[in-house]
Amino acid sequence: MDPISLIGAFSVLAAGLCISIGGISAGFGEGNAAASALQAIAQQPDEAGTITRTLFVSMAMVESTAIYSFVITILILYFNPFWETAVAMASK
């Protein structure tokens, strides 16, 4: 297998692992935060507004992990510096 094919295959594999791990971990984190917030609201219904506000802030922070992994995936797929180097070396 030539180096260009290997770089392309490993780039797609790395991008797939990055987005899947980032998405799954964000999903588990959001589910855990929601479950904890529901449990806290069940124990103290008078503080539901404060708990809900804190929940939304924490959900945004957890979701940023998935967004960062998406950005890294796009960088791996479309702006891969190894790909340009391999193409330049292959054309020599």
Side-chain angles (χ1 to χ4, degrees):
M1 194 174 238
D2 61 330
I4 295 176
S5 298
L6 281 175
I7 290 174
F10 282 121
S11 294
V12 170
L13 179 66
L17 285 173
C18 179
I19 196 67
S20 63
I21 291 171
I24 289 171
S25 63
F28 282 137
E30 288 178 4
N32 192 13
S36 297
L38 288 175
Q39 183 179 10
I41 290 173
Q43 290 177 356
Q44 296 179 348
D46 295 338
E47 297 295 322
T50 305
I51 294 169
T52 303
R53 186 172 46 244
T54 306
L55 172 68
F56 286 144
V57 171
S58 65
M59 287 284 192
M61 292 175 66
V62 171
E63 188 65 29
S64 68
T65 305
I67 293 169
Y68 290 147
S69 67
F70 176 69
V71 168
I72 290 171
T73 300
I74 295 300
L75 289 174
I76 289 172
L77 288 178
Y78 295 108
F79 302 108
N80 192 346
F82 298 117
W83 182 260
E84 310 236 343
T85 305
V87 170
M89 290 177 67
S91 64
K92 288 183 181 180

